[in-house]
Amino acid sequence: MDAAMTELPTPEELRARLEALAARRGFLLPHHGALAAGAPDLHVAYLAMYEALTVMPRQLSPLERECVWLCLLVAAEEAIGTHHLELFRAAGGTDSIAQSLIALAGAAPACDAFAFAHRHWEGQLPALDPASAWASTVAALRGALAPDLADLALLAVQAARGSRVGIARQIERLYAQKVDEARIVEALSYIIWPKGVNAFVEACDVWHRLMVTGAITPSARFAAWRDMPGLGAFDPASGRVVSGFGGEGNDGSARDRAAD
């Protein structure tokens, strides 16, 4: 065996490890067994990532965090995430708040629809303003949710949907409310778990473009990210890093975003 590789566990060691994990978390999902048995180093790193991403306190309060998660679970159709419903209740989440969050998640495609209608039918619907139409929709559905929390949850939803229109709209709304950027990062980062890191990369690409174009004004700390040269994907044809990641979200949303 390569000296750099970790010894795989014995059946007894594996059983003890999984039993300890189940006792700590109260449940055990099947993939833990596969990772612990066949890739123990990766399993350790995975657990550390999970703790840092979803367990350790960051900027959002426990209730705010679980509000974002509830919206995200609906958008991603992740029925398996029932422990987040328990955490939502434990943090003070009510039926009324849950109803508002579910309604917001369900209404998220309307943001794209307003942009689409404005782009294609401006002559027939000259009074339609996508930003104000979306603002009215959110206001009508958010109930008692604080405006910034509703928009943080919707940012996660739009990123989970892959809507560049929706991501841009939410980031603009959050900056208009002067929401701390670390709170935006936290809400957005939760999509890594149900939707994968590429969805997070795409959302951050939208965010970065908004900073570069001057659509939003970042703090000094985030301006350092904005000004970092060489951000982008690798282009195998040219062998160079290129700006951006393809540009279009679902239903041509990049085109619609540019139009409004």
Side-chain angles (χ1 to χ4, degrees), residues 53-137:
L53 179 66
T54 70
V55 178
M56 297 299 293
R58 286 191 274 162
Q59 304 298 318
L60 302 183
S61 72
L63 179 57
E64 288 174 328
R65 179 175 62 197
E66 296 310 322
C67 284
V68 173
W69 267 110
L70 197 158
C71 245
L72 179 54
L73 292 174
V74 173
E77 297 187 336
E78 286 281 347
I80 198 171
T82 51
H83 60 291
H84 282 292
L85 276 298
E86 296 297 322
L87 292 170
F88 172 77
R89 288 295 198 189
T94 64
D95 289 341
S96 176
I97 293 174
Q99 181 174 316
S100 295
L101 291 165
I102 294 166
L104 287 169
C111 186
D112 301 84
F114 290 135
F116 172 87
H118 176 71
R119 179 174 185 268
H120 294 285
W121 304 324
E122 186 177 7
Q124 293 83 2
L125 300 171
L128 176 64
D129 176 65
S132 62
W134 177 239
S136 297
T137 301

Side-chain angles (χ1 to χ4, degrees), residues 1-8 40-41:
M1 179 177 289
D2 191 313
M5 294 178 63
T6 300
E7 290 281 349
L8 296 178
D41 285 349

Side-chain angles (χ1 to χ4, degrees), residues 13-225:
E13 291 169 338
L14 176 63
R15 191 173 297 110
R17 180 173 184 166
L18 294 177
E19 287 174 350
L21 181 60
R24 185 168 76 249
R25 301 189 65 196
F27 62 95
L28 188 69
L29 294 175
H31 65 304
H32 286 289
L35 286 174
D41 285 349
L42 177 58
H43 191 226
V44 170
Y46 173 94
L47 290 172
M49 169 69 169
Y50 179 87
E51 291 284 326
L53 179 66
T54 70
V55 178
M56 297 299 293
R58 286 191 274 162
Q59 304 298 318
L60 302 183
S61 72
L63 179 57
E64 288 174 328
R65 179 175 62 197
E66 296 310 322
C67 284
V68 173
W69 267 110
L70 197 158
C71 245
L72 179 54
L73 292 174
V74 173
E77 297 187 336
E78 286 281 347
I80 198 171
T82 51
H83 60 291
H84 282 292
L85 276 298
E86 296 297 322
L87 292 170
F88 172 77
R89 288 295 198 189
T94 64
D95 289 341
S96 176
I97 293 174
Q99 181 174 316
S100 295
L101 291 165
I102 294 166
L104 287 169
C111 186
D112 301 84
F114 290 135
F116 172 87
H118 176 71
R119 179 174 185 268
H120 294 285
W121 304 324
E122 186 177 7
Q124 293 83 2
L125 300 171
L128 176 64
D129 176 65
S132 62
W134 177 239
S136 297
T137 301
V138 175
L141 294 176
R142 68 177 176 83
L145 286 172
D148 63 331
L149 178 54
D151 281 319
L152 286 167
L154 279 166
L155 173 60
V157 169
Q158 300 292 22
R161 295 181 57 244
S163 168
R164 295 178 73 91
V165 166
I167 294 164
R169 184 73 72 210
Q170 289 311 120
I171 290 174
E172 289 171 340
R173 286 170 59 85
L174 289 162
Y175 269 82
Q177 295 174 71
K178 302 187 185 306
V179 174
D180 188 281
E181 288 152 321
R183 287 168 60 81
I184 299 175
V185 170
E186 179 171 352
L188 188 56
S189 69
Y190 290 141
I191 70 168
I192 293 173
W193 217 249
K195 299 301 291 185
V197 74
N198 284 352
F200 183 63
V201 171
E202 288 280 354
C204 289
D205 179 51
V206 175
W207 189 351
H208 185 256
R209 289 186 187 208
L210 290 173
M211 292 191 290
V212 169
T213 61
I216 57 175
T217 302
S219 66
R221 184 170 68 254
F222 278 69
W225 165 34

